[in-house]
Amino acid sequence: MSQPVLVMKFGGTSVGSPEAIARAARLIREQARRRRVAVVASAMSQVTNRLLATLDAGARGDSATVEANLARLRDKHFAACSDLLPPERQAAVRARMAAILQDFGRIAKGMLLLRERPPRSVDEAAPTGELLAARLVSEVLCAEGVESVAVSGADVIVTDAVFGSAAPFLDETATKAEEALRPLLDAGKVPVVTGYNGSTRDGVPTTLGRGGSDYSAAIVAAALGADALWIWTDVDGILSGDPRIAPDARLLSEVTYNEAAELAFNGAKVLHPRTLAPLAEMGIPVRIKNSFRPDRSGTRISGQVGGREGVRAVTSLSDVVLISIEAANSTLSGAQLMSRALAAAARAKVEVLLLTRSSFRQNFCMLVHGGDVETVLESLRGELALELAHGYLRPIGVDRSVGLLAAVGEGMRGTPGLAGRLFTAISKENVNIIAIAQGSSELTIAIVVNQNDLRTAVSAIHSECGLGRRTERAIA
C-alpha cells in the first residue's frame, strides 16, 4: 500500500518574491523530512496578469507592449534566479526559463500576426507563469538538498476541451498522476506541479480558469488519495467576515466543506469556489495557512464540525449586476421563461449567483458577476429575440448599483426566526432589501442590497449574529 501524501499548494503571494519562494522552500523541506510531499505552485504575483495583457497586446497589434512585457517577465524571473540559487546552478536554470519564455513569445508574436486571440492558444500560453514558478521552487529545493522535479500540470490533469474553464476527468487524472507523480514520491523526490493547467485526452493544453491553482491542488490531492491538502496563502485562514468591514472578525478554526464552498462562491477570496468538490467525496481535509505566519494554526476544512449553531460567517460581492426579465402580460409561462433564460446563461458559460421570481407577474431576476453581464445579455437577447421584438417581454432590466451579501452556516438549518433577525438587523440600518434567496439546504441566506449599503448590511449581520472575537460561538 502506498504511503500517505501531503499536498502543499502555494498561492501567488506565497511565491511572489525571492524571499517568499525561499520561505516556501523551507516549509516544504520541513514537511519532506517527515512524509511524502507533493507541491502545487501558482505563478508569482501579477505574472499571469502580465502574461494575459501581453496576449491582449498581441491581438491588438501592439508589438512594443509585447516586447516590453517579455523583457519584464524575463528580468523578473532571472533576478529571482540570481537571488535564490548558487552561481554554479544559475546558468542552467536561466536557460530552462528562457526556453519557457521563448515558447510564450512565439504564441504572443503569432497573435501579432493574426490580430486575434484564439482561446486554444491562450490556454497554451497562460500557464507560463506557473511553469516558471514551479521551476524556481524545484531548483531551490534541489539546491538545499531536497530532491525535486518540476512537473507540468498538463502531464497530470486530464480535462475536457472547454478552453479557459476546463473540467477534469478525475478517474483518468488519477491514472496519470500514478504514472507521473507516484514514482517520484516513491523515490523520495518532491514533485512541484504547475497549478492552473491541464490537457485534453489528446494532449491539447487547457486551463482551469483564473484562480484555478487551488482547484489543481485539490485535483492532485484527490488523484493521489492524499491524507491532507495544505493551502498556503497570505491570510491566517477563513474569517467570520471581511476585517475591513467588521474589524472584530475572528478566525474560524474549523468549517465544513459546504460552508467553505458557499463562502467562496459568495465572495470570500481564500479559496477557488470549485476547490472542495474533489476532496469532499474522499474526505480529504484541507488546511488554510499563512505562509508569512506559519506558526498560526489556520482553518481546517472537513466534513463535520460539531456543536455549531446559527450563522458562522458573512461575506459579500460588490461587482455584481441584477438582470430582470418580465412578461408584458400573463400569457407567457414564467417557468418556461426562467428555463430558457438559465439555458442561455449556461450556453454563455455565465455563473448565476442568485435567482428569484414573482409568482403572479411572471417576472424574475438573476444576479451575475459584473464582468459577465455583456456576455449574458447577448445570450439572453438572442434566446428571447422573438418575444422582445413583438412586445411579449418588457425590455430586459439591468441594475448595476447592487451588491450581494451572504450569511453562511450549517447550523442555520431549522433555526426558527433566524432569517427574520437578519432582515430586521439590516432594516434597522435603513437598508432596503432588493432580493433574497435561500436554498432548501438552509446553508446560505443570500441578500441583494444597494451597493452603497453593502458594507453597512454586512456589518449589521456580523454584529447581530455575534460573530466577532468577543464571542465564543455564533449565536443561533
Side-chain angles (χ1 to χ4, degrees):
M1 182 178 176
S2 297
Q3 293 184 14
V5 176
L6 170 66
V7 175
M8 302 176 73
K9 185 267 177 178
F10 291 87
T13 54
S14 296
V15 292
S17 66
E19 296 79 12
I21 291 174
R23 187 183 304 110
R26 287 196 297 273
L27 294 170
I28 296 165
R29 189 172 67 246
E30 288 171 6
Q31 295 303 319
R33 293 193 187 109
R34 308 171 189 173
R35 62 184 111 184
R36 300 185 182 196
V37 174
V39 174
V40 175
S42 296
M44 295 178 74
S45 299
Q46 299 304 312
V47 165
T48 300
N49 288 340
R50 188 173 295 280
L51 291 165
L52 295 175
T54 305
L55 300 181
D56 288 340
R60 294 194 309 269
D62 184 354
S63 60
T65 297
V66 170
E67 293 295 344
N69 282 351
L70 285 171
R72 291 189 186 99
L73 289 162
R74 181 185 63 248
D75 292 347
K76 180 183 182 74
H77 290 89
F78 278 21
C81 177
S82 297
D83 289 343
L84 288 165
L85 297 174
E88 65 272 13
R89 299 183 71 95
Q90 291 178 18
V93 176
R94 283 200 189 102
R96 293 189 186 101
M97 292 196 295
I100 294 169
L101 286 166
Q102 185 175 20
D103 285 341
F104 174 80
R106 170 183 54 79
I107 296 169
K109 291 173 183 178
M111 292 180 184
L112 274 172
L113 294 173
L114 295 172
R115 297 293 196 273
E116 62 178 284
R117 193 175 179 270
R120 175 169 171 166
S121 297
V122 173
D123 272 21
E124 183 178 355
T128 296
E130 281 75 14
L131 292 168
L132 293 165
R135 174 63 60 184
L136 278 171
V137 172
S138 177
E139 292 290 347
V140 171
L141 288 170
C142 289
E144 295 179 353
V146 179
E147 288 191 87
S148 177
V149 178
V151 179
S152 173
D155 296 327
V156 178
I157 298 175
V158 185
T159 74
D160 60 21
V162 178
F163 299 112
S165 187
F169 297 120
L170 294 179
D171 289 344
E172 294 170 55
T173 296
T175 300
K176 289 197 76 170
E178 287 295 321
E179 295 170 354
L181 303 181
R182 187 68 68 181
L184 298 174
L185 293 166
D186 288 345
K189 298 178 181 180
V190 175
V192 181
V193 184
T194 60
Y196 179 42
N197 68 324
S199 64
T200 67
R201 290 166 173 146
D202 298 325
V204 178
T206 58
T207 61
L208 303 175
R210 288 304 302 271
S213 291
D214 285 348
Y215 195 26
S216 296
I219 294 166
V220 169
L224 291 172
D227 60 335
L229 167 63
W230 291 3
I231 295 179
W232 293 91
T233 181
D234 58 358
V235 296
D236 288 341
I238 298 175
L239 301 178
S240 62
D242 184 338
R244 294 169 298 182
I245 301 174
D248 64 340
R250 65 185 177 91
L251 178 69
L252 301 177
S253 59
E254 292 183 293
V255 298
T256 67
Y257 296 121
N258 288 334
E259 288 170 336
E262 286 290 325
L263 288 168
F265 182 79
N266 289 290
K269 294 181 171 57
V270 177
L271 283 175
H272 187 283
R274 292 192 287 175
T275 299
L276 298 168
L279 305 172
E281 294 179 9
M282 301 180 67
I284 297 172
V286 182
R287 190 169 289 278
I288 309 296
K289 289 180 67 69
N290 190 339
S291 63
F292 298 89
R293 300 200 289 184
D295 55 309
R296 301 297 176 98
S297 60
T299 299
R300 187 177 189 272
I301 306 171
S302 61
Q304 296 292 330
V305 178
R308 299 294 192 268
E309 299 176 350
V311 176
R312 301 290 316 288
V314 58
T315 188
S316 63
L317 282 168
S318 58
D319 184 19
V320 293
V321 176
L322 192 66
I323 296 173
S324 302
I325 298 174
E326 183 174 354
N329 55 58
S330 59
T331 59
L332 291 178
S333 165
Q336 289 181 1
L337 279 177
M338 287 180 64
S339 174
R340 292 171 61 194
L342 288 172
R347 285 195 299 273
K349 299 181 177 65
V350 168
E351 193 169 55
V352 176
L353 300 168
L354 175 147
L355 182 71
T356 185
R357 64 162 293 187
S358 164
S359 59
F360 173 71
R361 293 181 59 192
Q362 307 298 337
N363 68 347
F364 62 94
C365 58
M366 61 172 67
L367 194 75
V368 300
H369 290 285
D372 291 334
V373 64
E374 298 305 327
T375 301
V376 74
L377 283 174
E378 181 181 357
S379 187
L380 286 169
R381 286 166 180 155
E383 172 65 32
L384 303 171
L386 182 64
E387 289 82 0
L388 288 166
H390 290 279
Y392 298 124
L393 284 178
R394 302 188 191 283
I396 295 174
V398 179
D399 188 349
R400 302 174 188 270
S401 66
V402 300
L404 172 71
L405 66 94
V408 176
E410 295 267 14
M412 296 197 308
R413 185 179 295 112
T415 304
L418 180 59
R421 282 180 53 204
L422 302 186
F423 302 150
T424 300
I426 292 173
S427 67
K428 283 181 179 178
E429 300 295 330
N430 295 315
V431 173
N432 182 48
I433 295 174
I434 298 169
I436 59 173
Q438 181 177 23
S440 59
S441 67
E442 301 182 48
L443 179 66
T444 300
I445 298 176
I447 303 170
V448 179
V449 299
N450 188 284
Q451 193 175 104
N452 293 332
D453 295 326
L454 186 59
R455 293 174 66 92
T456 300
V458 170
S459 179
I461 289 180
H462 194 270
S463 177
E464 170 65 24
C465 296
L467 301 180
R469 286 190 294 268
R470 291 184 298 275
T471 59
E472 294 298 319
R473 64 179 180 85
I475 299 174

